[in-house]
Every structure is written in C-alpha cells, then in structure tokens.
Amino acid sequence: MAALAALTRSLGQHCVKRSKFSIVSQNIASHNYRFQTLRTLILEPSLSQSVKLHRLSDCDSGIVEVNLDRPEAKNAIGNDMLRGLRRVFEDIGQDSSARVVMISSSVPKVFCAGADLKERKKMTATEVHSYVNYLRSTFSLIEELQIPTIAVIEGAALGGGLEMALSCDLRICGENALLGLPETGLAIIPGAGGTQRLPRLVGKSIAKELIFTGRKIGGRDAMSIGLANYCVPCGEAHLKALEIAREINQKGPIAIRMAKRAINEGIERDMVSALDLEEECYERLLDTKDRLEGLAAFAEKRKPRYNGE
C-alpha cells in the first residue's frame, strides 16, 4: 500500500509540473501497468471484451487508449474482436474531446498475432472475402481519424497486427518487438493494407523483400528502415508512447488535425496542389481562438491553454 500511495503522489506531481516526468517514468516503470493508470481512468465498454477503451483524465484529458486484451489467442483478430475494434474507432472518430490515440496490448510479449486462423479455417471463401474487406476498411478508419494515432508494440506484430500498426501515424517498439507480414507463406498476400502502406513507409524495394520472403524483423531493424519511430528497451514502449502523446496533447488540437490532413493528403498530390492544400489548412487556423491564445501565451511567457476552438 505504501508503494501504491507513493506512485499515486508521483502521478499527481506530473499534473503540477511536467518537468518531473522523467522521475515519474522511473517510478512507473517499476510497477505493473495497471498501477500506472491510477490517475483517474474512465473505462468504457465496447462490443467485444477483447477491446477496451480508456480515456485518461485530469492533466492527460484528451489522450485515449485502445487496449487489446485477448490473451488466449495472442490478440488474434477474430470476428468478435474486429467488431469491437470497429465500434471503438467509430466512437473515437465522433468524440471531439479526443486529441491523440494509443493502441496497446495488455497481453505480455505480443501486440497482435494477426487474423484468427482457427476461425479462418472454418470460413467459406465468401466469408473470408467479407472478413478481409471489413478488416481493411476498419484499418482505413484508423488511418483516416483526424487525430494522431500511436501503435505501442511490445512483442509480436504479425500479419494483420502489423497492418493495424501501419495504419497508425506513429509506431513505438520495444527491443523485443517482432514485426512481419508472413502471408505469402500461407499462399495469400497481406490483404488489409500491407501491400500499400508498407512501401509508402519503407520504400518499394524493402517492402517487396519483406513481403516476398515473409521475413520477420526486430524493433531495432524496424527503426533503421523507418518502420518504427522509436525502439526502446523492453517494457518501456508504453512509457515512450505516453510521453509523445502528452507532447502532442499540449499542442493546438485544430492545428494538429490540419497538420495531419496536410501531410496525409498532400503526399499523394503533385507539389503545386499539395502546397495549395497546405494553404487551405493554414487558412482554417487563422480565425481560431487557439491561434490567438498561442500568441498571447508567447507574449506573456506562459503555457498556452488550448480549447480546440
């Protein structure tokens, strides 16, 4: 109980003074993740018991965490879990208070093992086609969220698990991460966006090698080829992701959404039309209260208080 009280005090100090985050991180790292979320967490139900939605509060209000929790199947995505993922991300997309999303796993040594092949074996070809289409559209829904998304990868992220991470804006890996698209070994191809999102991240040649061979790579290799943004010691990926989420959460929320739109849509355009898009996104910010608050905070040498207006 004394350790628990000490942790709670440390978490409270983060809300008062963020410069003490490194101390808080060291305290949290020595505890099980369930104690890390002692700050006031709101746990919301989804259609699936294997997908849980957490909305952090107090100084972390705006950070949302989607937690994968199907230990008996290593977070393999069956029909029930897929429906839960869809419902959760549809809810997040309609929530104006959400500013950044983290996708993580509560199952040790695994992020997501991919599609549930035991279920797949019992499906007809038509059912498989419908499942893969629904999976693909769900990952597109994640990609199209207006707010930043962060995949927190400790352990295996294979097949559909990696495709889900590829649909996120950022990927934070532990050194024990194992990433791969092994579908060609099953005489199929990645069907939920892997053939398109992977080459856009790492280049066509590297993507072809990884998909043709089905080779799995570790966290450090993933970072070296641009597949992961960070590779940190085992067990610290969540802390690093939370640190980044907190940095994003302090910025102007409308500006973050416009930046994401300008990057995601602009990269698919020629330079002239992409710059037109940038101008359009910039103009959307000129009449916001947040822009004026940012200027006032700078002049007054204080932290800005953004409300997303």
Side-chain angles (χ1 to χ4, degrees):
M1 290 300 294
L4 186 58
L7 177 60
T8 305
R9 288 194 298 272
S10 295
L11 289 168
Q13 290 171 359
H14 161 76
C15 297
V16 176
K17 190 173 182 181
R18 288 183 181 269
S19 62
K20 294 183 179 180
F21 173 71
S22 59
I23 299 174
V24 175
S25 298
Q26 293 169 4
N27 290 339
I28 298 174
S30 64
H31 292 267
N32 187 287
Y33 168 65
R34 69 174 62 93
F35 295 123
Q36 180 187 345
T37 57
L38 273 177
R39 290 168 321 236
T40 320
L41 257 205
I42 303 171
L43 174 61
E44 299 186 7
S46 71
L47 291 179
S48 170
Q49 293 299 313
S50 56
V51 182
K52 296 179 172 62
L53 177 62
H54 304 270
R55 299 179 191 274
L56 279 63
S57 61
D58 298 332
C59 56
D60 286 330
S61 179
I63 300 175
V64 180
E65 183 166 4
V66 177
N67 193 250
L68 310 179
D69 187 18
R70 196 186 177 204
E72 72 280 4
K74 297 183 179 179
N75 286 341
I77 306 172
N79 283 312
D80 176 73
M81 188 174 193
L82 180 53
R83 286 190 294 268
L85 284 168
R86 183 75 177 210
R87 171 63 181 276
V88 161
F89 285 108
E90 285 177 344
D91 288 348
I92 292 172
Q94 297 172 5
D95 181 5
S96 61
S97 68
R99 296 187 179 184
V100 57
V101 182
M102 296 165 54
I103 305 177
S104 63
S105 167
S106 63
V107 181
K109 299 180 180 179
V110 64
F111 174 71
C112 175
D116 189 332
L117 297 183
K118 291 182 180 179
E119 281 191 15
R120 177 76 60 87
K121 190 176 181 181
K122 301 174 184 177
M123 294 179 183
T124 65
T126 300
E127 289 171 336
V128 171
H129 184 259
S130 297
Y131 169 87
V132 173
N133 282 347
Y134 196 61
L135 186 67
R136 185 187 305 115
S137 67
T138 299
F139 292 167
S140 293
L141 177 65
I142 296 173
E143 183 178 50
E144 291 164 6
L145 287 174
Q146 295 184 24
I147 59 177
T149 51
I150 306 172
V152 185
I153 305 172
E154 294 274 10
L158 303 174
L162 179 55
E163 288 179 300
M164 176 161 50
L166 289 170
S167 70
C168 294
D169 297 304
L170 308 175
R171 283 151 296 281
I172 313 300
C173 291
E175 289 180 331
N176 65 333
L178 189 66
L179 301 90
L181 295 173
E183 284 86 349
T184 53
L186 296 171
I188 56 175
I189 67 170
T195 64
Q196 302 308 308
R197 294 189 178 99
L198 185 62
R200 283 167 166 78
L201 273 177
V202 303
K204 186 166 64 173
S205 181
I206 293 176
K208 284 181 176 179
E209 178 201 346
L210 293 176
I211 291 174
F212 292 170
T213 65
R215 183 166 64 90
K216 303 175 184 68
I217 61 174
R220 289 195 176 278
D221 286 341
M223 186 176 69
S224 72
I225 64 173
L227 178 52
N229 296 82
Y230 292 92
C231 178
V232 296
C234 296
E236 295 184 15
H238 189 275
L239 290 174
K240 183 63 179 179
L242 184 59
E243 176 187 346
I244 294 171
R246 283 169 170 162
E247 290 180 10
I248 294 171
N249 200 33
Q250 295 179 59
K251 306 303 185 289
I254 305 176
I256 292 293
R257 292 199 293 270
M258 288 299 101
K260 179 170 178 174
R261 182 190 170 201
I263 295 168
N264 283 1
E265 295 182 21
I267 199 71
E268 304 293 339
R269 302 186 182 188
D270 64 84
M271 183 59 73
V272 173
S273 60
L275 290 174
D276 288 341
L277 172 63
E278 181 183 75
E279 180 183 3
E280 177 189 337
C281 292
Y282 195 100
E283 287 179 350
R284 292 279 300 273
L285 301 167
L286 291 177
D287 293 327
T288 63
K289 293 180 181 178
D290 281 351
R291 186 183 75 87
L292 299 178
E293 165 62 15
L295 292 173
F298 178 80
E300 297 166 15
K301 298 182 179 180
R302 59 171 174 81
K303 285 188 175 182
R305 295 181 291 272
Y306 295 124
N307 296 315
E309 299 177 350

